Amino acid sequence: MYKIDYHIHTRFSMDSDADPLEEILAAKSRGIDDLIFTDHCDCNYELATPPDMEPWPFLEVEEYWKYMNELRNTSGYDFGIGLEI
């Protein structure tokens, strides 16, 4: 059986504090064959934030892409990089 997880959030999303490298190591230990990180990119984050909450942080996409590509190159694990918009 081919094991995949194509919906992983990390510390780059407002709803997770997971470290991307720790997620990769956990996937390897569980025999997961393929991952795609899909952190949030809320383009309308000010409008999407509930009125009683502070606005969610805006994802700096270029910095995110650079970090994740570097991690892909150094981790020894080929994974996909996506965004949940």
XYZ file of all heavy atoms in Angstrom:
705
model
N 0.843 -1.177 0.000
C 0.000 0.000 0.000
C 0.891 1.245 0.000
O 1.893 1.302 0.698
C -0.890 0.015 1.233
C -1.701 1.275 1.305
S -2.679 1.624 2.799
C -3.084 0.092 3.481
N 0.521 2.213 -0.788
C 1.226 3.482 -0.887
C 0.568 4.467 0.082
O -0.619 4.762 -0.031
C 1.145 3.991 -2.326
C 2.077 5.125 -2.656
C 3.448 4.908 -2.766
C 1.589 6.401 -2.863
C 4.308 5.940 -3.083
C 2.455 7.439 -3.183
C 3.808 7.205 -3.292
O 4.660 8.220 -3.603
N 1.344 4.969 1.059
C 0.798 5.861 2.085
C 1.132 7.310 1.760
O 2.298 7.628 1.472
C 1.363 5.513 3.453
C 0.998 4.136 3.933
C 1.614 3.895 5.295
C 1.336 2.505 5.787
N 1.987 2.267 7.088
N 0.104 8.165 1.801
C 0.293 9.582 1.480
C -0.405 10.460 2.516
O -1.326 10.030 3.195
C -0.261 9.926 0.078
C -1.765 9.668 0.018
C 0.466 9.159 -0.990
C -2.426 10.162 -1.249
N 0.067 11.689 2.621
C -0.631 12.731 3.377
C -0.433 14.025 2.609
O 0.680 14.542 2.527
C -0.093 12.857 4.801
C -0.940 13.775 5.659
O -1.751 14.548 5.106
O -0.777 13.738 6.894
N -1.499 14.519 2.019
C -1.422 15.702 1.169
C -2.079 16.926 1.798
O -2.519 17.831 1.098
C -2.079 15.418 -0.183
C -1.275 14.507 -1.088
C -1.805 14.042 -2.267
C 0.019 14.120 -0.761
C -1.080 13.213 -3.110
C 0.748 13.286 -1.585
C 0.193 12.842 -2.768
O 0.920 12.026 -3.592
N -2.135 16.948 3.126
C -2.733 18.109 3.796
C -2.081 18.286 5.167
O -2.632 17.905 6.190
C -4.244 17.928 3.943
C -4.948 19.186 4.317
N -5.759 19.856 3.441
C -4.944 19.907 5.455
C -6.227 20.940 4.040
N -5.756 20.990 5.265
N -0.885 18.870 5.173
C -0.127 19.050 6.408
C 0.105 20.541 6.647
O 0.619 21.243 5.784
C 1.231 18.335 6.336
C 1.024 16.850 6.090
C 2.028 18.574 7.612
C 2.298 16.099 5.840
N -0.275 20.984 7.832
C -0.010 22.359 8.249
C 1.160 22.369 9.220
O 1.340 21.431 9.985
C -1.233 22.969 8.932
C -2.408 23.129 8.036
N -3.603 23.606 8.483
C -2.591 22.892 6.718
C -4.465 23.659 7.496
N -3.861 23.213 6.411
N 1.917 23.444 9.188
C 3.065 23.607 10.073
C 2.966 24.959 10.769
O 1.964 25.654 10.668
C 4.379 23.539 9.282
O 4.500 24.709 8.464
C 4.463 22.286 8.419
N 4.058 25.330 11.417
C 4.092 26.600 12.157
C 3.860 27.819 11.270
O 3.652 28.920 11.772
C 5.411 26.731 12.899
C 6.634 26.751 11.997
C 7.916 26.815 12.827
N 9.083 26.590 12.026
C 9.685 27.521 11.293
N 9.232 28.752 11.271
N 10.759 27.224 10.587
N 3.859 27.625 9.986
C 3.575 28.730 9.074
C 2.079 29.027 8.993
O 1.689 30.060 8.463
C 4.121 28.432 7.673
C 5.620 28.436 7.613
C 6.331 27.252 7.673
C 6.321 29.631 7.525
C 7.713 27.250 7.623
C 7.705 29.640 7.481
C 8.405 28.450 7.531
N 1.261 28.122 9.470
C -0.189 28.314 9.499
C -0.616 28.733 10.904
O 0.002 28.346 11.888
C -0.926 27.016 9.134
O -0.730 26.700 7.779
N -1.714 29.466 10.985
C -2.178 29.957 12.282
C -2.768 28.851 13.144
O -2.931 29.028 14.332
C -3.179 31.100 12.109
C -4.538 30.679 11.628
S -4.426 30.154 9.941
C -6.067 30.252 9.405
N -3.039 27.699 12.573
C -3.676 26.628 13.329
C -2.738 25.458 13.643
O -3.183 24.361 13.939
C -4.906 26.123 12.584
C -4.583 25.583 11.208
O -3.442 25.761 10.741
O -5.471 24.996 10.587
N -1.429 25.703 13.581
C -0.462 24.650 13.879
C 0.820 25.263 14.416
O 1.167 26.398 14.070
C -0.142 23.857 12.611
O 0.857 22.895 12.872
N 1.500 24.515 15.246
C 2.830 24.941 15.693
C 3.876 23.876 15.367
O 4.975 23.886 15.887
C 2.837 25.284 17.176
C 2.443 24.117 18.065
O 2.129 23.027 17.542
O 2.448 24.297 19.295
N 3.517 22.965 14.471
C 4.400 21.856 14.096
C 5.611 22.348 13.318
O 5.507 23.217 12.452
C 3.628 20.836 13.266
N 6.741 21.772 13.626
C 7.971 22.059 12.893
C 7.994 21.192 11.628
O 7.772 19.974 11.717
C 9.179 21.737 13.776
C 10.471 21.986 13.057
O 10.899 23.147 12.982
O 11.065 21.000 12.543
N 8.263 21.764 10.461
C 8.246 20.975 9.228
C 9.196 19.775 9.244
O 8.833 18.694 8.789
C 8.631 21.978 8.144
C 8.233 23.310 8.702
C 8.467 23.205 10.175
N 10.395 19.956 9.775
C 11.339 18.840 9.820
C 10.816 17.729 10.722
O 10.938 16.547 10.381
C 12.718 19.297 10.289
C 13.775 18.205 10.368
C 13.953 17.489 9.026
C 15.085 18.767 10.869
N 10.216 18.072 11.846
C 9.644 17.049 12.720
C 8.507 16.299 12.027
O 8.344 15.090 12.224
C 9.165 17.677 14.027
C 10.314 18.121 14.906
C 9.855 18.798 16.178
O 8.653 18.750 16.515
O 10.719 19.399 16.841
N 7.742 17.002 11.204
C 6.679 16.334 10.443
C 7.271 15.344 9.443
O 6.732 14.249 9.242
C 5.812 17.363 9.723
C 4.986 18.229 10.646
C 3.944 17.431 11.408
O 3.211 16.633 10.798
O 3.884 17.598 12.641
N 8.369 15.713 8.818
C 9.042 14.815 7.873
C 9.566 13.584 8.599
O 9.381 12.447 8.140
C 10.184 15.554 7.145
C 9.597 16.593 6.190
C 11.096 14.575 6.410
C 10.625 17.558 5.631
N 10.218 13.786 9.726
C 10.762 12.656 10.487
C 9.647 11.726 10.968
O 9.786 10.500 10.922
C 11.590 13.168 11.669
C 12.845 13.965 11.286
C 13.505 14.544 12.530
C 13.809 13.121 10.484
N 8.524 12.297 11.397
C 7.380 11.484 11.819
C 6.825 10.687 10.645
O 6.478 9.504 10.786
C 6.301 12.370 12.432
N 6.743 11.318 9.481
C 6.241 10.620 8.292
C 7.163 9.460 7.925
O 6.698 8.356 7.627
C 6.126 11.600 7.129
N 8.469 9.709 7.952
C 9.422 8.638 7.645
C 9.258 7.472 8.606
O 9.248 6.317 8.195
C 10.861 9.164 7.741
C 11.318 9.984 6.575
C 12.766 10.383 6.813
C 13.404 11.043 5.646
N 14.819 11.382 5.899
N 9.122 7.785 9.896
C 9.021 6.720 10.900
C 7.729 5.919 10.760
O 7.660 4.772 11.189
C 9.133 7.297 12.309
O 7.963 7.986 12.676
N 6.711 6.529 10.153
C 5.432 5.844 9.963
C 5.315 5.184 8.585
O 4.263 4.664 8.235
C 4.292 6.835 10.165
C 4.147 7.277 11.605
C 3.013 8.281 11.751
N 2.802 8.628 13.136
C 3.301 9.701 13.736
N 4.075 10.541 13.060
N 3.038 9.952 15.000
N 6.368 5.296 7.792
C 6.354 4.667 6.483
C 5.513 5.401 5.454
O 5.060 4.803 4.480
N 5.316 6.701 5.656
C 4.548 7.485 4.686
C 5.435 7.755 3.478
O 6.565 8.227 3.605
C 4.012 8.777 5.324
C 2.987 8.400 6.400
C 3.398 9.695 4.266
C 2.397 9.553 7.155
N 4.910 7.450 2.306
C 5.677 7.529 1.074
C 5.725 8.921 0.453
O 6.663 9.247 -0.267
C 5.084 6.560 0.040
C 5.113 5.134 0.537
O 6.221 4.596 0.718
O 4.030 4.563 0.762
N 4.700 9.717 0.680
C 4.617 11.008 -0.006
C 3.869 12.010 0.865
O 2.851 11.676 1.471
C 3.900 10.826 -1.339
C 4.191 11.928 -2.335
O 5.092 12.765 -2.078
O 3.526 11.963 -3.381
N 4.388 13.233 0.919
C 3.787 14.333 1.686
C 3.617 15.554 0.803
O 4.418 15.785 -0.108
C 4.702 14.775 2.833
C 5.066 13.835 3.927
C 6.069 14.519 4.864
C 3.846 13.416 4.691
N 2.617 16.343 1.120
C 2.531 17.705 0.584
C 2.159 18.613 1.745
O 1.163 18.403 2.428
C 1.486 17.837 -0.536
C 1.858 16.970 -1.728
C 1.382 19.308 -0.976
C 0.859 17.023 -2.876
N 3.001 19.600 1.985
C 2.695 20.622 2.978
C 1.728 21.626 2.348
O 1.936 22.068 1.215
C 3.981 21.336 3.434
C 4.855 20.465 4.282
C 5.917 19.784 3.742
C 4.601 20.330 5.637
C 6.728 18.980 4.525
C 5.394 19.530 6.432
C 6.463 18.847 5.872
N 0.691 21.957 3.072
C -0.351 22.849 2.547
C -0.693 23.912 3.590
O -1.805 23.957 4.098
C -1.621 22.061 2.191
O -2.036 21.319 3.346
C -1.387 21.114 1.034
N 0.284 24.740 3.906
C 0.036 25.787 4.890
C -0.932 26.824 4.352
O -1.095 26.977 3.139
C 1.361 26.427 5.311
C 2.136 25.516 6.250
O 1.634 25.290 7.364
O 3.216 25.040 5.871
N -1.569 27.518 5.289
C -2.579 28.513 4.926
C -1.958 29.756 4.308
O -0.937 30.250 4.766
C -3.347 28.976 6.174
C -4.322 27.977 6.678
N -5.589 27.875 6.177
C -4.215 27.036 7.642
C -6.225 26.914 6.819
N -5.418 26.389 7.711
N -2.599 30.250 3.280
C -2.296 31.557 2.717
C -3.636 32.268 2.580
O -4.341 32.106 1.589
C -1.604 31.446 1.364
S -1.233 33.061 0.644
N -4.007 32.983 3.614
C -5.311 33.649 3.640
C -5.180 35.030 3.012
O -4.826 36.003 3.675
C -5.837 33.731 5.072
C -6.154 32.344 5.599
O -6.902 31.632 4.910
O -5.645 31.970 6.662
N -5.452 35.087 1.732
C -5.299 36.335 0.990
C -6.240 37.422 1.503
O -5.941 38.609 1.393
C -5.557 36.087 -0.497
S -4.452 34.846 -1.198
N -7.358 37.024 2.059
C -8.308 37.994 2.605
C -8.327 37.885 4.130
O -9.364 37.998 4.760
C -9.708 37.747 2.050
C -10.268 36.395 2.455
O -9.515 35.510 2.853
N -11.567 36.231 2.370
N -7.145 37.715 4.721
C -7.051 37.387 6.132
C -7.750 38.388 7.046
O -8.306 38.014 8.066
C -5.595 37.196 6.557
C -4.751 38.449 6.532
C -4.459 39.119 7.704
C -4.242 38.945 5.339
C -3.679 40.263 7.680
C -3.475 40.072 5.320
C -3.188 40.736 6.486
O -2.426 41.868 6.473
N -7.753 39.646 6.706
C -8.436 40.620 7.569
C -9.952 40.411 7.527
O -10.624 40.515 8.542
C -8.069 42.036 7.177
C -6.635 42.382 7.553
C -6.254 43.791 7.155
O -6.971 44.417 6.349
O -5.231 44.270 7.655
N -10.480 40.096 6.360
C -11.917 39.856 6.242
C -12.310 38.487 6.810
O -13.433 38.316 7.277
C -12.338 39.933 4.771
C -12.162 41.294 4.102
C -12.492 41.188 2.623
C -13.025 42.340 4.777
N -11.386 37.532 6.762
C -11.693 36.172 7.202
C -11.573 35.994 8.709
O -12.031 35.001 9.251
C -10.765 35.187 6.499
N -10.953 36.940 9.387
C -10.758 36.820 10.821
C -12.050 37.128 11.565
O -12.671 38.162 11.327
C -9.655 37.786 11.295
O -8.471 37.526 10.542
C -9.360 37.604 12.773
N -12.462 36.239 12.455
C -13.662 36.532 13.250
C -13.508 37.842 14.021
O -12.399 38.204 14.422
C -13.745 35.333 14.202
C -13.024 34.238 13.496
C -11.920 34.910 12.741
N -14.602 38.571 14.247
C -14.522 39.908 14.850
C -13.898 39.942 16.244
O -13.325 40.947 16.627
C -15.966 40.387 14.909
C -16.799 39.343 14.298
C -15.947 38.200 13.893
N -13.982 38.870 17.000
C -13.456 38.883 18.366
C -12.023 38.359 18.459
O -11.524 38.101 19.541
C -14.364 38.074 19.284
C -14.523 36.632 18.820
O -14.288 36.362 17.631
O -14.881 35.795 19.655
N -11.344 38.227 17.311
C -9.969 37.715 17.302
C -9.026 38.707 16.646
O -9.443 39.540 15.847
C -9.906 36.391 16.529
C -10.634 35.243 17.179
S -10.531 33.735 16.171
C -8.783 33.411 16.182
N -7.747 38.575 16.986
C -6.719 39.343 16.298
C -6.595 38.810 14.867
O -6.795 37.613 14.637
C -5.375 39.178 17.007
C -5.304 39.841 18.366
C -5.355 41.353 18.257
O -4.702 41.919 17.372
O -6.083 41.964 19.065
N -6.268 39.665 13.901
C -6.101 39.165 12.523
C -5.011 38.095 12.456
O -4.002 38.182 13.139
C -5.673 40.407 11.736
C -6.144 41.550 12.545
C -6.100 41.103 13.979
N -5.262 37.071 11.640
C -4.275 36.027 11.459
C -3.075 36.588 10.712
O -3.207 37.479 9.868
C -4.878 34.884 10.653
C -5.973 34.176 11.371
C -6.072 33.970 12.725
C -7.130 33.570 10.801
N -7.208 33.283 13.021
C -7.879 33.012 11.862
C -7.603 33.435 9.516
C -9.067 32.339 11.662
C -8.781 32.753 9.319
C -9.502 32.219 10.376
N -1.885 36.059 10.993
C -0.699 36.576 10.291
C -0.746 36.224 8.811
O -1.230 35.163 8.429
C 0.461 35.886 10.991
C -0.135 34.690 11.638
C -1.563 35.011 11.939
N -0.244 37.106 8.014
C -0.184 36.908 6.570
C 1.055 36.091 6.244
O 2.145 36.374 6.731
C -0.133 38.264 5.873
C -0.167 38.165 4.377
C -1.341 37.850 3.712
C 0.968 38.379 3.630
C -1.389 37.749 2.328
C 0.934 38.280 2.245
C -0.249 37.967 1.607
N 0.904 35.057 5.441
C 2.032 34.213 5.066
C 2.902 34.931 4.043
O 2.418 35.366 2.993
C 1.525 32.896 4.470
C 2.609 31.929 4.004
C 3.414 31.401 5.182
C 1.986 30.779 3.234
N 4.180 35.040 4.354
C 5.151 35.587 3.401
C 5.534 34.454 2.456
O 6.397 33.637 2.748
C 6.375 36.129 4.141
C 6.088 37.278 5.067
C 5.672 38.547 4.331
O 5.987 38.682 3.124
O 5.037 39.398 4.966
N 4.857 34.397 1.325
C 4.947 33.250 0.427
C 6.374 33.029 -0.078
O 6.847 31.885 -0.115
C 3.956 33.392 -0.749
C 4.116 32.252 -1.739
C 2.526 33.457 -0.227
N 7.081 34.080 -0.448
C 8.441 33.899 -0.969
C 9.368 33.314 0.091
O 10.178 32.430 -0.211
C 8.988 35.221 -1.497
C 8.329 35.656 -2.794
C 8.919 36.926 -3.357
O 10.121 37.175 -3.165
O 8.158 37.669 -4.003
N 9.259 33.793 1.329
C 10.081 33.248 2.408
C 9.707 31.799 2.692
O 10.576 30.961 2.926
C 9.914 34.076 3.678
C 10.536 35.446 3.573
C 10.293 36.277 4.819
O 10.199 35.705 5.928
O 10.191 37.498 4.678
N 8.415 31.507 2.689
C 7.928 30.143 2.906
C 8.481 29.208 1.832
O 9.015 28.143 2.124
C 6.395 30.156 2.883
C 5.743 28.799 2.947
C 5.747 28.059 4.122
C 5.103 28.263 1.833
C 5.141 26.815 4.188
C 4.481 27.026 1.897
C 4.510 26.309 3.071
O 3.904 25.076 3.137
N 8.361 29.621 0.580
C 8.829 28.803 -0.539
C 10.332 28.541 -0.430
O 10.791 27.412 -0.615
C 8.494 29.510 -1.850
C 8.766 28.683 -3.056
C 9.813 28.799 -3.909
C 7.983 27.584 -3.541
N 9.732 27.858 -4.899
C 8.623 27.095 -4.696
C 6.816 26.977 -3.104
C 8.119 26.023 -5.416
C 6.325 25.908 -3.827
C 6.974 25.442 -4.965
N 11.098 29.578 -0.095
C 12.553 29.434 0.037
C 12.891 28.458 1.160
O 13.719 27.560 0.987
C 13.183 30.796 0.308
C 14.673 30.758 0.439
C 15.245 32.133 0.706
C 16.729 32.070 0.949
N 17.286 33.368 1.320
N 12.252 28.617 2.315
C 12.511 27.737 3.452
C 12.166 26.294 3.119
O 12.951 25.377 3.379
C 11.712 28.207 4.673
C 11.854 27.288 5.854
C 12.903 27.442 6.746
C 10.948 26.241 6.064
C 13.056 26.590 7.821
C 11.096 25.384 7.135
C 12.148 25.553 8.012
O 12.287 24.698 9.065
N 10.988 26.073 2.555
C 10.547 24.711 2.278
C 11.394 24.053 1.193
O 11.694 22.859 1.277
C 9.061 24.704 1.900
C 8.152 25.153 3.027
S 8.308 24.186 4.541
C 7.170 22.862 4.175
N 11.808 24.806 0.187
C 12.693 24.239 -0.837
C 14.040 23.844 -0.241
O 14.595 22.806 -0.584
C 12.898 25.221 -1.991
C 11.896 25.029 -3.084
O 11.686 23.924 -3.565
N 11.245 26.105 -3.480
N 14.567 24.690 0.637
C 15.835 24.362 1.295
C 15.680 23.104 2.148
O 16.545 22.227 2.142
C 16.313 25.536 2.148
C 17.669 25.301 2.779
C 18.180 26.515 3.528
O 17.992 27.645 3.051
O 18.768 26.312 4.609
N 14.572 23.008 2.867
C 14.310 21.829 3.682
C 14.186 20.583 2.803
O 14.714 19.522 3.141
C 13.034 22.029 4.510
C 12.645 20.891 5.434
C 13.750 20.613 6.458
C 11.330 21.209 6.125
N 13.535 20.713 1.685
C 13.410 19.570 0.770
C 14.785 19.127 0.284
O 15.056 17.934 0.175
C 12.521 19.950 -0.415
C 12.286 18.794 -1.356
C 11.212 19.024 -2.381
N 11.253 20.321 -2.990
C 10.234 20.859 -3.651
N 9.112 20.214 -3.779
N 10.341 22.048 -4.182
N 15.664 20.072 0.021
C 16.993 19.741 -0.478
C 17.906 19.158 0.597
O 18.825 18.404 0.284
C 17.654 20.976 -1.087
C 16.966 21.419 -2.362
O 16.382 20.615 -3.079
N 17.016 22.711 -2.638
N 17.683 19.506 1.870
C 18.582 19.061 2.932
C 18.036 17.900 3.757
O 18.795 17.251 4.469
C 18.909 20.217 3.894
O 17.702 20.711 4.476
C 19.637 21.347 3.168
N 16.748 17.612 3.672
C 16.148 16.595 4.537
C 16.283 15.179 3.996
O 16.092 14.213 4.734
C 14.658 16.892 4.752
O 13.934 16.698 3.549
N 16.574 15.052 2.712
C 16.635 13.722 2.123
C 15.263 13.112 1.884
O 15.142 11.921 1.656
N 14.237 13.943 1.938
C 12.858 13.468 1.750
C 12.200 14.389 0.729
O 12.103 15.590 0.942
C 12.111 13.520 3.089
C 10.784 12.792 3.096
C 10.723 11.445 3.406
C 9.601 13.456 2.805
C 9.523 10.760 3.432
C 8.388 12.790 2.835
C 8.353 11.449 3.153
O 7.156 10.785 3.177
N 11.794 13.816 -0.375
C 11.164 14.615 -1.432
C 9.689 14.793 -1.115
O 8.942 13.819 -1.045
C 11.343 13.925 -2.783
C 10.889 14.801 -3.935
O 10.863 16.044 -3.779
O 10.559 14.249 -4.995
N 9.269 16.005 -0.893
C 7.868 16.301 -0.553
C 7.366 17.443 -1.411
O 8.137 18.211 -1.981
C 7.724 16.650 0.944
C 8.574 17.821 1.386
C 8.121 19.128 1.249
C 9.820 17.620 1.943
C 8.888 20.200 1.660
C 10.596 18.687 2.362
C 10.125 19.985 2.218
N 6.067 17.548 -1.488
C 5.442 18.628 -2.247
C 5.216 19.841 -1.376
O 5.102 19.754 -0.152
N 5.149 20.987 -2.037
C 4.890 22.254 -1.349
C 3.666 22.880 -1.983
O 3.650 23.129 -3.193
C 6.090 23.221 -1.485
C 7.385 22.555 -1.012
C 5.810 24.504 -0.713
C 8.628 23.338 -1.395
N 2.655 23.091 -1.186
C 1.440 23.701 -1.683
C 0.947 24.771 -0.729
O 1.583 25.040 0.293
N -0.156 25.357 -1.050
C -0.792 26.353 -0.184
C -2.283 26.077 -0.146
O -2.881 25.724 -1.154
C -0.563 27.776 -0.710
C 0.857 28.291 -0.701
C 0.917 29.642 -1.398
C 1.380 28.402 0.713
N -2.852 26.250 1.015
C -4.302 26.216 1.156
C -4.763 27.668 1.138
O -4.486 28.431 2.052
C -4.727 25.538 2.468
C -6.211 25.458 2.614
C -6.627 24.712 3.874
O -5.824 24.013 4.490
O -7.813 24.859 4.230
N -5.427 28.036 0.065
C -5.812 29.442 -0.112
C -7.270 29.625 0.257
O -8.116 28.871 -0.114
C -5.573 29.883 -1.568
C -4.069 29.782 -1.844
C -6.085 31.280 -1.802
C -3.661 30.141 -3.226
